[in-house]
Amino acid sequence: MAQTADWLGQLPPEIRANAFKRSDLYGTYANNPKSFATQLRLIVLSLTLVPLKLFACIGCVLSYYLLILLGNATLSEPFKTKYMVFWGRFWTRAVLYCLGFWTIKWVYVSPEGTVSSKAPLGFKERRFGGYVSNHCSWVDIVLYMSRLFPSFVAKKEVSALPLVGPISKAMQCLFVDREARLASDKLGDGGGQGMSQLVKDRMQRKHEGGSEELPMLLFPEGTTTNNRFMLPFKRGAFVAGVPVQPLVLKYDTSGRFSPTWDSMPGHKHIFLTMTEFSYRVTCYVLPLYTPSEEEKADPALYAENVRQMMGKYGKIATCEDTFADKLAFFKYVTDRMAHEKGCCTDPAACKSGKAHGIRAGVQHRVQVEARAETEGEGLRHRGD
C-alpha cells in the first residue's frame, strides 16, 4: 500500500518532526479523514478481531505470571533464571502471534555488510556490556523478550504494579528511584545514585564475565520514532566504555497501519494494532562494537559512532530531531486539532493562538533539552 499524505501537510520551519510524522492510512494522531468503508471496517473489527486478540494477549500474560509465581515458590538459582527466561520467551512469542507478528526475521550482519540467517562462529562467546537498539514501538520490548529476554531500565514504581511488577522482576530489570535521586541532588548531600552509574556498573559486571545477570537492552534515542530516521543517541548507554551489541529493528510500514508508535496516543495505537491481521519485522544483529580508547574517554563520541554504524548497516537515515522536538511537535498538533475542531471561533485569534502554540512549543523544547543535559541520563524507562 502506498504511503498516505498526512493531514498536517507542510509544517512550520520551527517544528522539527521528520522522525515522528506518520505516513500510514490514519496519519499523525490518527487524525487523517477516514472513508465510510474504513470506519465500517473499524467498527466490525472492534466487535470481532480486537476482543479476540485482546483476551488472547491477556491470557498469555496471565499464564506467564502464574508460572513466575510457581517458579519463585519452588526454584532457586541458577535454575530459576533459566526457567524464567524459557517461559518468558515462550509466552512473549505467543503474544506476538496474537498481535499478528507472524513474520519476524533475525538477520546477522558481517563487518563487510553481508547478511545471513545463521549466527556467525563465536557469536555466543561474544562478551559485551549490553544491547543497544533503535526504538520504534512498545512492541520492541515484547519482540526482544521473545528472543533475547534482556533486562531493561524501569521506574521503581513499576516493580509494585500488578502483573507487570513480577514480570519485570523476573527479567531482572534495573529499578531506579528517580525522585529520590533528584531530591538528593537538590539537597546536595551526594546521596542517591543516577541511572547512568547503575547502568555503568551493571554493564561492566556483565562484560567482565563475572555476572550471571541477564544482559541489559537500552534504547539510547530516548523515545520512539517512525522507523524512517534515527535520533541522536544519549550518552548514558555508553559511559561504561565496554563493547556493546548493536541491534536495528525495521518494521514493514507499507501497510494500512504502521506498528511504529511515533505520534499517536497509546490507547489508539494499541487498538489500531489489533485491527490488522499480520505484520512483518526484521531485526538486524550487527557486528560487535568495541570502543577505542578515545571513545572510552568520550561517551558522546562513542554514542555517535555507534549511531552512524547502525544507520549505515540498517539503512536508516540519521537526523538531529530530539525528544524535546517531539514534545514541541505534539503541542503544535494538539493545538491545531483543537482549532480545527472549532474550539476557536475568531479567525484572527485562531491565527494568533496557533502562532503562540508554535512559539510555546519551541520554548518548551529548549527547556526540555536543557533539563536533559543537566540530568545527563539518556536512558529510556519502561513505564514512562
Side-chain angles (χ1 to χ4, degrees):
M1 184 178 293
Q3 288 189 342
T4 305
D6 194 72
W7 65 276
L8 285 170
Q10 188 69 31
L11 292 173
E14 298 91 342
I15 302 297
R16 299 189 301 183
N18 287 331
F20 313 120
K21 284 185 66 176
R22 296 183 68 85
S23 58
D24 61 5
L25 176 67
Y26 301 99
T28 299
Y29 264 65
N31 203 45
N32 274 2
K34 301 174 185 63
S35 66
F36 174 77
T38 297
Q39 295 182 54
L40 180 61
R41 176 182 178 275
L42 291 177
I43 292 173
V44 172
L45 291 176
S46 69
L47 299 173
T48 53
L49 183 63
V50 172
L52 287 174
K53 283 192 171 188
L54 179 61
F55 285 116
C57 289
I58 292 174
C60 292
V61 174
L62 284 174
S63 297
Y64 184 44
Y65 171 73
L66 294 175
L67 287 168
I68 288 174
L69 296 183
L70 177 63
N72 285 335
T74 60
L75 299 175
S76 58
E77 296 297 351
F79 303 105
K80 184 164 75 171
T81 294
K82 294 179 180 178
Y83 170 90
M84 299 295 185
V85 170
F86 174 83
W87 287 114
R89 288 172 175 169
F90 177 87
W91 286 112
T92 49
R93 186 62 187 94
V95 168
L96 290 170
Y97 277 129
C98 295
L99 291 173
F101 284 87
W102 297 96
T103 305
I104 301 175
K105 294 182 179 180
W106 287 80
V107 177
Y108 297 87
V109 184
S110 72
E112 295 75 29
T114 58
V115 298
S116 173
S117 59
K118 296 182 179 180
L121 292 175
F123 179 78
K124 291 185 178 180
E125 286 70 43
R126 287 184 179 180
R127 292 178 61 178
F128 53 91
Y131 301 100
V132 291
S133 171
N134 60 323
H135 199 13
C136 313
S137 174
W138 54 271
V139 179
D140 300 352
I141 294 172
V142 185
L143 193 152
Y144 283 131
M145 287 176 66
S146 72
R147 177 82 172 214
L148 306 174
F149 205 78
S151 297
F152 296 91
V153 176
K155 289 181 178 180
K156 182 181 178 181
E157 294 80 4
V158 171
S159 65
L161 294 176
L163 293 181
V164 178
I167 292 175
S168 297
K169 291 176 182 177
M171 296 169 63
Q172 301 178 5
C173 286
L174 185 58
F175 298 107
V176 177
D177 189 346
R178 189 175 186 183
E179 286 70 22
R181 186 274 174 107
L182 292 177
S184 178
D185 288 347
K186 289 179 181 178
L187 293 173
D189 59 7
Q193 197 172 22
M195 281 188 291
S196 291
Q197 185 61 46
L198 293 172
V199 170
K200 176 181 177 181
D201 294 343
R202 177 89 167 255
M203 293 180 71
Q204 287 179 338
R205 289 196 304 270
K206 191 64 183 177
H207 174 249
E208 290 167 359
S211 172
E212 295 299 324
E213 297 166 299
L214 296 174
M216 298 203 67
L217 193 149
L218 304 167
F219 299 114
E221 290 173 288
T223 189
T224 52
T225 70
N226 55 23
N227 211 187
R228 299 198 301 273
F229 294 88
M230 196 176 297
L231 308 184
F233 283 1
K234 306 296 184 182
R235 61 191 295 273
F238 304 93
V239 294
V242 297
V244 294
Q245 175 58 67
L247 307 168
V248 176
L249 286 175
K250 293 195 75 173
Y251 290 88
D252 181 354
T253 60
S254 62
R256 180 175 24 238
F257 172 73
S258 168
T260 61
W261 185 28
D262 33 40
S263 54
M264 187 179 291
H267 66 283
K268 289 186 178 180
H269 192 274
I270 293 173
F271 169 75
L272 290 173
T273 298
M274 294 189 174
T275 63
E276 296 298 321
F277 289 92
S278 65
Y279 299 98
R280 290 177 294 184
V281 60
T282 302
C283 180
Y284 294 90
V285 183
L286 305 188
L288 189 71
Y289 195 105
T290 302
S292 64
E293 292 302 319
E294 185 180 9
E295 289 169 328
K296 291 178 182 179
D298 186 353
L301 175 65
Y302 185 8
E304 178 59 20
N305 288 344
V306 172
R307 180 174 82 120
Q308 293 300 327
M309 172 197 180
M310 291 170 62
K312 174 185 175 183
Y313 283 112
K315 296 180 173 58
I316 298 177
T318 57
C319 71
E320 299 309 311
D321 296 356
T322 65
F323 177 60
D325 288 316
K326 188 176 189 178
L327 296 182
F329 174 54
F330 283 4
K331 177 166 177 52
Y332 168 79
V333 170
T334 52
D335 285 352
R336 181 165 161 181
M337 289 170 64
H339 294 152
E340 293 184 356
K341 287 181 179 178
C343 298
C344 186
T345 56
D346 183 355
C350 279
K351 183 176 180 181
S352 173
K354 182 177 176 181
H356 173 72
I358 295 173
R359 290 195 299 272
V362 173
Q363 185 178 31
H364 181 58
R365 181 184 72 204
V366 173
Q367 293 171 349
V368 170
E369 288 176 340
R371 186 166 65 251
E373 288 297 323
T374 300
E375 295 180 2
E377 302 292 5
L379 301 170
R380 178 174 174 80
H381 283 177
R382 290 184 72 233
D384 270 3

PDB file of all heavy atoms in Angstrom, residues 301-319:
ATOM      1  N   LEU A 301      31.108  10.722  21.901  1.00  0.00           N
ATOM      2  CA  LEU A 301      31.705  10.282  20.639  1.00  0.00           C
ATOM      3  C   LEU A 301      31.386   8.801  20.390  1.00  0.00           C
ATOM      4  O   LEU A 301      31.036   8.423  19.261  1.00  0.00           O
ATOM      5  CB  LEU A 301      33.220  10.488  20.689  1.00  0.00           C
ATOM      6  CG  LEU A 301      34.010   9.959  19.483  1.00  0.00           C
ATOM      7  CD1 LEU A 301      33.641  10.733  18.221  1.00  0.00           C
ATOM      8  CD2 LEU A 301      35.517  10.049  19.751  1.00  0.00           C
ATOM      9  N   TYR A 302      31.484   8.003  21.422  1.00  0.00           N
ATOM     10  CA  TYR A 302      31.168   6.581  21.331  1.00  0.00           C
ATOM     11  C   TYR A 302      29.719   6.407  20.862  1.00  0.00           C
ATOM     12  O   TYR A 302      29.425   5.633  19.926  1.00  0.00           O
ATOM     13  CB  TYR A 302      31.393   5.949  22.707  1.00  0.00           C
ATOM     14  CG  TYR A 302      31.231   4.457  22.800  1.00  0.00           C
ATOM     15  CD1 TYR A 302      31.051   3.643  21.678  1.00  0.00           C
ATOM     16  CD2 TYR A 302      31.270   3.829  24.060  1.00  0.00           C
ATOM     17  CE1 TYR A 302      30.908   2.265  21.802  1.00  0.00           C
ATOM     18  CE2 TYR A 302      31.131   2.449  24.188  1.00  0.00           C
ATOM     19  CZ  TYR A 302      30.935   1.680  23.059  1.00  0.00           C
ATOM     20  OH  TYR A 302      30.797   0.312  23.182  1.00  0.00           O
ATOM     21  N   ALA A 303      28.806   7.143  21.478  1.00  0.00           N
ATOM     22  CA  ALA A 303      27.389   7.047  21.133  1.00  0.00           C
ATOM     23  C   ALA A 303      27.147   7.426  19.677  1.00  0.00           C
ATOM     24  O   ALA A 303      26.408   6.744  18.959  1.00  0.00           O
ATOM     25  CB  ALA A 303      26.567   7.943  22.065  1.00  0.00           C
ATOM     26  N   GLU A 304      27.756   8.509  19.228  1.00  0.00           N
ATOM     27  CA  GLU A 304      27.536   8.969  17.858  1.00  0.00           C
ATOM     28  C   GLU A 304      28.105   7.994  16.831  1.00  0.00           C
ATOM     29  O   GLU A 304      27.485   7.730  15.787  1.00  0.00           O
ATOM     30  CB  GLU A 304      28.161  10.353  17.668  1.00  0.00           C
ATOM     31  CG  GLU A 304      28.028  10.920  16.254  1.00  0.00           C
ATOM     32  CD  GLU A 304      26.580  11.063  15.799  1.00  0.00           C
ATOM     33  OE1 GLU A 304      25.666  11.089  16.653  1.00  0.00           O
ATOM     34  OE2 GLU A 304      26.361  11.141  14.562  1.00  0.00           O
ATOM     35  N   ASN A 305      29.250   7.421  17.124  1.00  0.00           N
ATOM     36  CA  ASN A 305      29.849   6.472  16.182  1.00  0.00           C
ATOM     37  C   ASN A 305      29.018   5.192  16.080  1.00  0.00           C
ATOM     38  O   ASN A 305      28.883   4.621  14.984  1.00  0.00           O
ATOM     39  CB  ASN A 305      31.282   6.145  16.597  1.00  0.00           C
ATOM     40  CG  ASN A 305      32.229   7.313  16.359  1.00  0.00           C
ATOM     41  OD1 ASN A 305      31.899   8.247  15.628  1.00  0.00           O
ATOM     42  ND2 ASN A 305      33.398   7.272  16.975  1.00  0.00           N
ATOM     43  N   VAL A 306      28.461   4.751  17.191  1.00  0.00           N
ATOM     44  CA  VAL A 306      27.579   3.580  17.144  1.00  0.00           C
ATOM     45  C   VAL A 306      26.317   3.921  16.349  1.00  0.00           C
ATOM     46  O   VAL A 306      25.831   3.107  15.553  1.00  0.00           O
ATOM     47  CB  VAL A 306      27.225   3.108  18.567  1.00  0.00           C
ATOM     48  CG1 VAL A 306      26.151   2.022  18.522  1.00  0.00           C
ATOM     49  CG2 VAL A 306      28.458   2.582  19.283  1.00  0.00           C
ATOM     50  N   ARG A 307      25.789   5.109  16.544  1.00  0.00           N
ATOM     51  CA  ARG A 307      24.597   5.527  15.798  1.00  0.00           C
ATOM     52  C   ARG A 307      24.855   5.522  14.301  1.00  0.00           C
ATOM     53  O   ARG A 307      24.034   5.033  13.509  1.00  0.00           O
ATOM     54  CB  ARG A 307      24.137   6.912  16.252  1.00  0.00           C
ATOM     55  CG  ARG A 307      22.886   7.393  15.508  1.00  0.00           C
ATOM     56  CD  ARG A 307      22.359   8.686  16.074  1.00  0.00           C
ATOM     57  NE  ARG A 307      23.049   9.849  15.591  1.00  0.00           N
ATOM     58  CZ  ARG A 307      22.480  10.851  14.913  1.00  0.00           C
ATOM     59  NH1 ARG A 307      21.185  10.809  14.624  1.00  0.00           N
ATOM     60  NH2 ARG A 307      23.175  11.897  14.533  1.00  0.00           N
ATOM     61  N   GLN A 308      25.995   6.077  13.897  1.00  0.00           N
ATOM     62  CA  GLN A 308      26.315   6.112  12.473  1.00  0.00           C
ATOM     63  C   GLN A 308      26.468   4.702  11.906  1.00  0.00           C
ATOM     64  O   GLN A 308      26.045   4.416  10.780  1.00  0.00           O
ATOM     65  CB  GLN A 308      27.591   6.930  12.244  1.00  0.00           C
ATOM     66  CG  GLN A 308      27.454   8.409  12.555  1.00  0.00           C
ATOM     67  CD  GLN A 308      26.385   9.096  11.714  1.00  0.00           C
ATOM     68  OE1 GLN A 308      26.154   8.740  10.557  1.00  0.00           O
ATOM     69  NE2 GLN A 308      25.735  10.099  12.292  1.00  0.00           N
ATOM     70  N   MET A 309      27.069   3.816  12.693  1.00  0.00           N
ATOM     71  CA  MET A 309      27.215   2.424  12.258  1.00  0.00           C
ATOM     72  C   MET A 309      25.843   1.770  12.078  1.00  0.00           C
ATOM     73  O   MET A 309      25.575   1.092  11.076  1.00  0.00           O
ATOM     74  CB  MET A 309      28.026   1.648  13.290  1.00  0.00           C
ATOM     75  CG  MET A 309      28.075   0.143  13.044  1.00  0.00           C
ATOM     76  SD  MET A 309      28.620  -0.730  14.537  1.00  0.00           S
ATOM     77  CE  MET A 309      28.591  -2.426  13.978  1.00  0.00           C
ATOM     78  N   MET A 310      24.950   1.978  13.051  1.00  0.00           N
ATOM     79  CA  MET A 310      23.626   1.383  12.976  1.00  0.00           C
ATOM     80  C   MET A 310      22.824   1.948  11.813  1.00  0.00           C
ATOM     81  O   MET A 310      22.094   1.216  11.129  1.00  0.00           O
ATOM     82  CB  MET A 310      22.888   1.603  14.306  1.00  0.00           C
ATOM     83  CG  MET A 310      23.487   0.812  15.460  1.00  0.00           C
ATOM     84  SD  MET A 310      22.818   1.253  17.092  1.00  0.00           S
ATOM     85  CE  MET A 310      21.092   0.814  16.908  1.00  0.00           C
ATOM     86  N   GLY A 311      22.956   3.242  11.571  1.00  0.00           N
ATOM     87  CA  GLY A 311      22.266   3.848  10.440  1.00  0.00           C
ATOM     88  C   GLY A 311      22.768   3.306   9.118  1.00  0.00           C
ATOM     89  O   GLY A 311      21.987   3.054   8.187  1.00  0.00           O
ATOM     90  N   LYS A 312      24.077   3.083   9.037  1.00  0.00           N
ATOM     91  CA  LYS A 312      24.688   2.581   7.803  1.00  0.00           C
ATOM     92  C   LYS A 312      24.249   1.157   7.502  1.00  0.00           C
ATOM     93  O   LYS A 312      23.762   0.853   6.411  1.00  0.00           O
ATOM     94  CB  LYS A 312      26.211   2.646   7.924  1.00  0.00           C
ATOM     95  CG  LYS A 312      26.956   2.009   6.758  1.00  0.00           C
ATOM     96  CD  LYS A 312      28.463   2.004   7.006  1.00  0.00           C
ATOM     97  CE  LYS A 312      29.212   1.251   5.908  1.00  0.00           C
ATOM     98  NZ  LYS A 312      30.671   1.189   6.190  1.00  0.00           N
ATOM     99  N   TYR A 313      24.416   0.257   8.476  1.00  0.00           N
ATOM    100  CA  TYR A 313      24.071  -1.143   8.266  1.00  0.00           C
ATOM    101  C   TYR A 313      22.557  -1.352   8.168  1.00  0.00           C
ATOM    102  O   TYR A 313      22.084  -2.216   7.430  1.00  0.00           O
ATOM    103  CB  TYR A 313      24.632  -2.018   9.381  1.00  0.00           C
ATOM    104  CG  TYR A 313      26.108  -2.297   9.273  1.00  0.00           C
ATOM    105  CD1 TYR A 313      27.015  -1.771  10.188  1.00  0.00           C
ATOM    106  CD2 TYR A 313      26.616  -3.118   8.261  1.00  0.00           C
ATOM    107  CE1 TYR A 313      28.376  -2.036  10.103  1.00  0.00           C
ATOM    108  CE2 TYR A 313      27.972  -3.390   8.159  1.00  0.00           C
ATOM    109  CZ  TYR A 313      28.848  -2.844   9.085  1.00  0.00           C
ATOM    110  OH  TYR A 313      30.196  -3.105   8.986  1.00  0.00           O
ATOM    111  N   GLY A 314      21.795  -0.579   8.947  1.00  0.00           N
ATOM    112  CA  GLY A 314      20.346  -0.735   8.956  1.00  0.00           C
ATOM    113  C   GLY A 314      19.642   0.058   7.878  1.00  0.00           C
ATOM    114  O   GLY A 314      18.431  -0.061   7.718  1.00  0.00           O
ATOM    115  N   LYS A 315      20.410   0.889   7.152  1.00  0.00           N
ATOM    116  CA  LYS A 315      19.842   1.722   6.079  1.00  0.00           C
ATOM    117  C   LYS A 315      18.701   2.599   6.604  1.00  0.00           C
ATOM    118  O   LYS A 315      17.621   2.698   6.007  1.00  0.00           O
ATOM    119  CB  LYS A 315      19.372   0.857   4.906  1.00  0.00           C
ATOM    120  CG  LYS A 315      20.506   0.116   4.206  1.00  0.00           C
ATOM    121  CD  LYS A 315      19.999  -0.728   3.042  1.00  0.00           C
ATOM    122  CE  LYS A 315      21.147  -1.339   2.243  1.00  0.00           C
ATOM    123  NZ  LYS A 315      22.038  -2.179   3.062  1.00  0.00           N
ATOM    124  N   ILE A 316      18.973   3.239   7.735  1.00  0.00           N
ATOM    125  CA  ILE A 316      18.043   4.201   8.334  1.00  0.00           C
ATOM    126  C   ILE A 316      18.768   5.541   8.421  1.00  0.00           C
ATOM    127  O   ILE A 316      19.882   5.620   8.945  1.00  0.00           O
ATOM    128  CB  ILE A 316      17.589   3.764   9.734  1.00  0.00           C
ATOM    129  CG1 ILE A 316      16.845   2.427   9.653  1.00  0.00           C
ATOM    130  CG2 ILE A 316      16.692   4.817  10.365  1.00  0.00           C
ATOM    131  CD1 ILE A 316      16.410   1.885  11.006  1.00  0.00           C
ATOM    132  N   ALA A 317      18.162   6.580   7.902  1.00  0.00           N
ATOM    133  CA  ALA A 317      18.784   7.904   7.905  1.00  0.00           C
ATOM    134  C   ALA A 317      18.908   8.433   9.334  1.00  0.00           C
ATOM    135  O   ALA A 317      18.010   8.247  10.156  1.00  0.00           O
ATOM    136  CB  ALA A 317      17.964   8.874   7.059  1.00  0.00           C
ATOM    137  N   THR A 318      20.024   9.072   9.628  1.00  0.00           N
ATOM    138  CA  THR A 318      20.180   9.733  10.921  1.00  0.00           C
ATOM    139  C   THR A 318      19.694  11.168  10.809  1.00  0.00           C
ATOM    140  O   THR A 318      19.759  11.776   9.735  1.00  0.00           O
ATOM    141  CB  THR A 318      21.647   9.721  11.377  1.00  0.00           C
ATOM    142  OG1 THR A 318      22.465  10.339  10.377  1.00  0.00           O
ATOM    143  CG2 THR A 318      22.130   8.295  11.609  1.00  0.00           C
ATOM    144  N   CYS A 319      19.179  11.700  11.885  1.00  0.00           N
ATOM    145  CA  CYS A 319      18.695  13.088  11.889  1.00  0.00           C
ATOM    146  C   CYS A 319      19.036  13.721  13.227  1.00  0.00           C
ATOM    147  O   CYS A 319      19.566  13.064  14.123  1.00  0.00           O
ATOM    148  CB  CYS A 319      17.185  13.136  11.627  1.00  0.00           C
ATOM    149  SG  CYS A 319      16.183  12.531  13.002  1.00  0.00           S
TER     150      CYS A 319
END
